[in-house]
Amino acid sequence: MKSRKLIVSIVLMSLVLAAAMIGCSSTPKTEPQAAAEPQFEKYHAIVDARFVMDHITVPMAENVMIIDSRPKRAKYDKGHIPGAVSIPFSQFDKMTDQLPAEKDALLIFYCGGLKCPLSHKSAFKAEELGYTNIKVFAKGFPGYMKVAGNYPAVSVEWVKAQLDKGADIVVIDARPKKPKYDKGHIPGAISIPDSQFDKYQDLLPAEKDKTLVFYCGGLKCPLSHKSAKKALAMGYTSVKVFATGYPAWVAYAGKDATVKTTAVQSGGEEGSIDNAVFTKIINTEPGSIYLVDVRDPAEFSTGSFETAVNIPIDQLEAKIPELPASRPIVFVCGTGARSGEAYYMVQDLRPELKEVYYVEAEITFNQDGSFKLTQVTQ
Amino acid sequence: MKKWLMFALALTISISFVGAAFAIDKGNKRKGKYIYRKVYKACHERGEVDSAKPPINPDAKTQAEWTTVFSGKTFDEFGCADEWSQLSDEDLSNIYAYLHDHAADSPTPLKCK
């Protein structure tokens, strides 16, 4: 009898346990808290991306201000809606002097998307200050970037930091080369004037995922924006505009952090480049010339200039039609013999190329990437 | 005696002129290298030679020997007579500069790399 009770008890307990387990597995999962409606008071005038984009102009209209409420360094510097000013919510009270004087000016606040309260909170604060035409772009920066063809603007702090750490970006000066770029530009920037974009687009990198940063003459200059759109149309996937441009660079990095174009000067021998000028170009803006190392691949692999392309002299003739006409071409080798031959080959086969030079010197490449030119006595 | 003196003077002057006629200026060796190779490229394309590479390297002769060759314009050993006959004096002086400056007894003897 006892054993029968025991069996019944075990069976009952098993059933209870099984039921409990089934119950556990079939209980609907509660929605994560994150997906719930944001727990903050939303501003009453919400606008979409189209509304924001309709108000992005270069320069921005005086009675319109797009305001990025996110933290500046962590968010705004890395990417923001072009034309937007940074007034982080945490700094709002200290920065009200940056808001337009006219209380009926259109203020569009945004931050990091639907879950971000910063733009709404800033909008309420602006309302308290008496502004009457306030909107919140609730989808914020992510919503803006989702629109095909849109690109972010970056700040001068971000550009300088990238260049200082040697990031793999290409900075493009969209201003006219003469006199703007030649007079002064960001070190390492290449010149592709927007008006000649199609002609010089071959200067852009072949890799379409490389980050391109266009700049021109500041917030009133549309050239960098126009060029950025052309680059996107070409298929580049990481295009940014440094909208505050060259004036911001000079103000932030200083005049000493700009470079003038070094004019290519002939050396003593016909077709040769002045060695001092060549050295300066390599050290300051190697991208301003198309540098061709005509040595054999085995020699090239032991060391060459960082920006040099290797076209062995025996293969040069077939590739002469492909040489770019957009910047000076300089041939190098170990002694000036093959580079000199390359110079005369181009003179013979493509005489319309006027800016062609060779280095008439012995070139020694060191392990640390440096090089030494030794004048060759003819 | 006076006749002999006049004859000797005339002979000296004549020899000088003949020498000057065969003298060759040294041109641009970089250009010379390109023209020298171009001669054989054209000759090779025409089918006269098997290789586009020049058959005689600069270090095949001494500087004096190159001077003799170019002063006398004796280019038979080079082959490709058609191409050589079309070279201008400037072309020849450029090729001469290239071969002479990289001759066997020069500071930088060179094979035609």
Side-chain angles (χ1 to χ4, degrees):
Chain A
M1 188 68 183
K2 267 186 181 176
S3 60
R4 196 175 166 189
K5 272 185 180 175
L6 189 66
I7 290 166
V8 170
S9 301
I10 290 169
V11 169
L12 280 172
M13 281 176 73
S14 303
L15 285 171
V16 169
L17 272 172
M21 286 174 76
I22 290 165
C24 283
S25 60
S26 63
T27 304
K29 286 182 182 171
T30 4
E31 285 296 312
Q33 192 62 32
E37 279 289 300
Q39 298 300 307
F40 56 84
E41 187 182 357
K42 288 182 184 171
Y43 194 70
H44 48 80
I46 303 295
V47 293
D48 61 10
R50 174 50 54 195
F51 181 89
V52 177
M53 287 156 62
D54 286 345
H55 289 88
I56 298 174
T57 54
V58 182
M60 286 292 289
E62 283 185 10
N63 61 346
V64 176
M65 184 179 271
I66 301 174
I67 301 154
D68 191 320
S69 300
R70 300 172 302 161
K72 182 177 183 301
R73 197 169 164 186
K75 299 290 183 181
Y76 177 86
D77 285 352
K78 291 178 181 172
H80 55 265
I81 296 176
V85 298
S86 171
I87 304 181
F89 173 71
S90 60
Q91 306 292 311
F92 189 91
D93 294 337
K94 294 178 195 167
M95 298 176 73
T96 52
D97 59 324
Q98 297 199 19
L99 294 169
E102 293 76 26
K103 298 295 185 191
D104 62 348
L106 171 62
L107 306 185
I108 306 172
F109 290 92
Y110 76 88
C111 58
L114 293 171
K115 294 173 192 168
C116 173
L118 303 177
S119 51
H120 300 270
K121 288 180 173 182
S122 295
F124 283 121
K125 277 183 175 278
E127 201 170 62
E128 285 171 17
L129 290 172
Y131 286 94
T132 56
N133 191 8
I134 302 169
K135 309 288 180 191
V136 166
F137 173 37
K139 289 185 178 174
F141 187 65
Y144 165 80
M145 286 303 295
K146 271 187 186 169
V147 179
N150 279 354
Y151 52 86
V154 290
S155 71
V156 64
E157 291 90 342
W158 183 86
V159 175
K160 177 105 179 15
Q162 300 305 303
L163 294 177
D164 286 349
K165 70 180 181 187
D168 190 19
I169 64 172
V170 179
V171 181
I172 301 118
D173 191 322
R175 299 174 301 165
K177 186 170 186 301
K178 290 177 183 175
K180 295 292 186 184
Y181 176 87
D182 287 349
K183 209 171 170 184
H185 55 264
I186 296 174
I190 59 173
S191 171
I192 304 182
D194 181 70
S195 58
Q196 295 172 292
F197 188 91
D198 293 342
K199 187 176 174 186
Y200 294 136
Q201 61 178 252
D202 63 313
L203 295 178
L204 293 172
E207 304 86 5
K208 291 288 195 280
D209 59 348
K210 194 159 256 188
T211 296
L212 309 182
V213 181
F214 290 89
Y215 76 91
C216 59
L219 291 171
K220 291 182 178 173
C221 173
L223 301 177
S224 52
H225 298 274
K226 291 166 77 175
S227 292
K229 286 172 188 165
K230 290 172 187 170
L232 283 168
M234 285 175 71
Y236 287 95
T237 55
S238 179
V239 177
K240 301 172 194 294
V241 166
F242 169 29
T244 46
Y246 191 66
W249 178 267
V250 174
Y252 182 72
K255 194 75 181 170
D256 290 344
T258 64
V259 287
K260 290 180 182 175
T261 301
T262 307
V264 176
Q265 285 177 15
S266 297
E269 296 300 319
E270 181 187 32
S272 67
I273 183 174
D274 181 90
N275 287 344
V277 170
F278 175 73
T279 303
K280 187 178 176 191
I281 289 172
I282 291 296
N283 290 335
T284 57
E285 39 179 353
S288 66
I289 57 173
Y290 187 75
L291 190 59
V292 184
D293 188 330
V294 291
R295 295 177 300 161
D296 294 337
E299 296 170 276
F300 182 75
S301 66
T302 62
S304 186
F305 298 101
E306 198 176 327
T307 54
V309 294
N310 183 216
I311 307 177
I313 188 72
D314 294 337
Q315 298 170 26
L316 179 63
E317 186 173 336
K319 296 197 173 174
I320 282 179
E322 299 166 20
L323 294 175
S326 52
R327 49 185 164 156
I329 298 165
V330 180
F331 292 106
V332 293
C333 65
T335 62
R338 281 171 284 178
S339 56
E341 185 185 353
Y343 164 78
Y344 285 108
M345 192 184 289
V346 175
Q347 291 289 303
D348 188 30
L349 302 177
R350 201 175 160 195
E352 68 273 19
L353 281 182
K354 299 296 179 197
E355 290 262 58
V356 182
Y357 304 88
Y358 76 100
V359 176
E360 179 62 69
E362 283 182 8
I363 307 176
T364 310
F365 295 100
N366 302 318
Q367 292 282 343
D368 62 359
S370 62
F371 66 93
K372 184 185 172 192
L373 294 190
T374 308
Q375 188 68 43
V376 175
T377 311
Q378 286 272 18
Chain B
M1 185 66 185
K2 203 175 180 181
K3 277 185 181 175
W4 276 107
L5 199 66
M6 289 294 286
F7 178 74
L9 190 65
L11 189 66
T12 308
I13 291 169
S14 301
I15 289 169
S16 303
F17 272 109
V18 170
F22 285 111
I24 182 156
D25 291 329
K26 251 173 65 177
N28 182 320
K29 67 178 180 182
R30 305 299 189 211
K31 197 169 188 176
K33 184 184 180 190
Y34 172 65
I35 297 167
Y36 188 48
R37 288 166 65 103
K38 190 181 170 188
V39 162
Y40 291 96
K41 183 174 177 295
C43 189
H44 173 60
E45 284 170 358
R46 191 161 56 80
E48 185 179 322
V49 288
D50 294 334
S51 169
K53 195 178 171 188
I56 305 176
N57 291 327
D59 67 352
K61 294 183 190 296
T62 63
Q63 290 185 329
E65 286 170 336
W66 282 124
T67 302
T68 304
V69 168
F70 279 81
S71 296
K73 293 193 177 181
T74 49
F75 304 123
D76 294 346
E77 63 182 310
F78 288 91
C80 299
D82 285 0
E83 282 75 16
W84 278 91
S85 67
Q86 289 170 27
L87 294 172
S88 66
D89 285 347
E90 188 188 344
D91 291 338
L92 290 174
S93 69
N94 289 333
I95 295 174
Y96 168 63
Y98 166 60
L99 297 173
H100 179 274
D101 281 11
H102 296 296
D105 57 346
S106 71
T108 51
L110 192 73
K111 295 193 185 302
C112 197
K113 194 174 181 183

